[in-house]
Amino acid sequence: MTRGFWRISMKKFAVAVLASSMCLAAGFSLEVDRNEIAPGQNDPAIEFINYTGPSATVSTAAEIRGIGSALSGAAVQTGTGGAVTAGSRSRYFLIHAVDPSTATGLDADILVIGADATVDHIDNIRRILSGYLSAAYGYTEKDAATLATFVTIYNAVYRGKIDIFKARYKPVVTGYLTAESVGLSVRYSDWPGKTQIVIPLSDPRLAGTISSINTTLLTDKAVVDKIREDGGDGTQLRKDMVELKEDERDAAQKRAALAQEEAAAARAIEQQKKLEAEAAGREAEKARKDAETAKKEADKAARDAEAAQQKAAASPE
């Protein structure tokens, strides 16, 4: 794979994205807060150490993204809870861990880098993730790349912190995680056989939308504080994420508006059905009364006929 060196550093940067959810029919909205959070002055930046020696083979960016897209078959809802997997356990393996029956905690996708994997540059891990996110959830190449970068930083920040993952995610996710492998080491030599990259998922009902991935968790303060500016990269990364979250907000508002329209239409249909039922009830009542009147008239006619017969029989010829 293509090798090189990539680092994120920042001298003066902060951003906070506050998310508030509004449950309405089939979706919820996210609000973006552009206020900045001052990073910790003594907190070192995330610096990924990549292999820089000679390369035996070179893969194109498209080929590397293809590794991720080939894993997208795992992103299928089981409906009964559990996990769907794809790929090779010895190289690149994806676990789609979703449990609709559990209300507490988050679902997640887990990218496992196996012992025989040859990835040795952070850019290529991000390409694999980007290819997966595009194929599995329909993200644009730009949005997928932004998310992939945040996913790697998020996993580097929480590398080995199994208790945090257990507190945030459902058992269907944490059952696959180990303290030795969870998250992403900053050193390439630690990646093969020792990496479980966790991708937090949103509500399963939003799968396939721009809100498929839980961006609120990916942009928590601990992650944002690690994004330090180096030649403008940190600033651009921030802008890309803010734009993505604004797109999330717009899409959520459209879903909310559509849900309101559908609810209004459903109420109108229900009201129409109620009016029709009331009209049918009135018609049924009228038919019942008409039947009673007809029966009374028939009974009277029968009595009159019987009386006429009796009178005729009693009369002399």
Side-chain angles (χ1 to χ4, degrees):
M1 290 189 175
T2 305
R3 296 177 167 88
F5 182 84
W6 191 96
R7 66 179 294 182
I8 296 178
S9 65
M10 180 178 185
K11 297 177 181 178
K12 185 179 180 182
F13 162 76
V15 63
V17 184
L18 301 179
S20 62
S21 60
M22 177 184 68
C23 293
L24 180 58
F28 61 88
S29 66
L30 296 173
E31 297 297 332
V32 176
D33 186 343
R34 293 173 177 268
N35 294 331
E36 293 189 345
I37 299 174
Q41 297 300 314
N42 298 320
D43 217 5
I46 291 292
E47 183 175 299
F48 289 101
I49 308 301
N50 306 297
Y51 177 78
T52 57
S55 177
T57 60
V58 177
S59 300
T60 66
E63 289 172 336
I64 297 169
R65 280 176 55 86
I67 295 172
S69 61
L71 300 174
S72 63
V76 177
Q77 297 297 328
T78 63
T80 57
V84 180
T85 62
S88 168
R89 291 181 182 274
S90 64
R91 291 175 62 80
Y92 306 100
F93 189 65
L94 198 291
I95 304 169
H96 181 67
V98 175
D99 184 2
S101 67
T102 301
T104 302
L106 295 172
D107 298 311
D109 287 335
I110 307 168
L111 175 62
V112 180
I113 298 179
D116 295 334
T118 58
V119 63
D120 52 18
H121 194 291
I122 190 61
D123 283 356
N124 290 333
I125 288 183
R126 288 169 177 163
R127 288 181 179 121
I128 292 171
L129 287 167
S130 176
Y132 173 74
L133 294 172
S134 290
Y137 300 112
Y139 283 100
T140 65
E141 186 171 342
K142 177 185 176 182
D143 287 345
T146 299
L147 287 169
T149 300
F150 272 87
V151 166
T152 54
I153 297 172
Y154 170 79
N155 278 270
V157 168
Y158 293 108
R159 167 71 169 176
K161 299 178 181 179
I162 190 68
D163 290 341
I164 291 179
F165 286 96
K166 287 182 177 180
R168 291 179 174 178
Y169 293 87
K170 297 178 182 179
V172 70
V173 176
T174 58
Y176 289 96
L177 305 179
T178 66
E180 296 75 19
S181 298
V182 68
L184 178 64
S185 170
V186 296
R187 181 174 292 277
Y188 76 92
S189 58
D190 293 334
W191 296 342
K194 303 174 185 177
T195 301
Q196 297 170 327
I197 297 175
V198 179
I199 307 170
L201 300 179
S202 296
D203 190 319
R205 293 173 299 177
L206 299 178
T209 73
I210 196 171
S211 297
S212 298
I213 305 304
N214 189 317
T215 55
T216 300
L217 204 59
L218 292 181
T219 54
D220 69 12
K221 187 177 185 299
V223 174
V224 170
D225 283 355
K226 292 294 184 179
I227 301 177
R228 307 295 176 87
E229 186 176 1
D230 185 6
D233 288 344
T235 300
Q236 187 58 51
L237 182 60
R238 177 198 63 182
K239 290 180 179 178
D240 290 343
M241 177 55 82
V242 169
E243 288 177 3
L244 190 154
K245 291 182 77 68
E246 288 177 338
D247 289 343
E248 278 190 278
R249 177 201 60 198
D250 293 343
Q253 288 176 343
K254 289 180 180 179
R255 288 195 301 272
L258 178 60
Q260 288 178 327
E261 292 175 1
E262 292 176 346
R267 287 194 298 270
I269 292 173
E270 189 63 27
Q271 180 64 20
Q272 181 62 31
K273 288 182 178 179
K274 180 180 178 181
L275 294 174
E276 291 175 354
E278 290 174 350
R282 289 193 296 270
E283 291 179 2
E285 179 64 16
K286 181 177 181 298
R288 184 186 66 78
K289 290 181 178 179
D290 289 346
E292 288 181 354
T293 299
K295 184 176 183 303
K296 289 178 180 179
E297 291 176 351
D299 290 344
K300 182 177 182 300
R303 289 194 299 272
D304 289 346
E306 183 179 358
Q309 287 179 344
Q310 291 175 353
K311 182 177 180 180
S315 298
E317 294 183 0

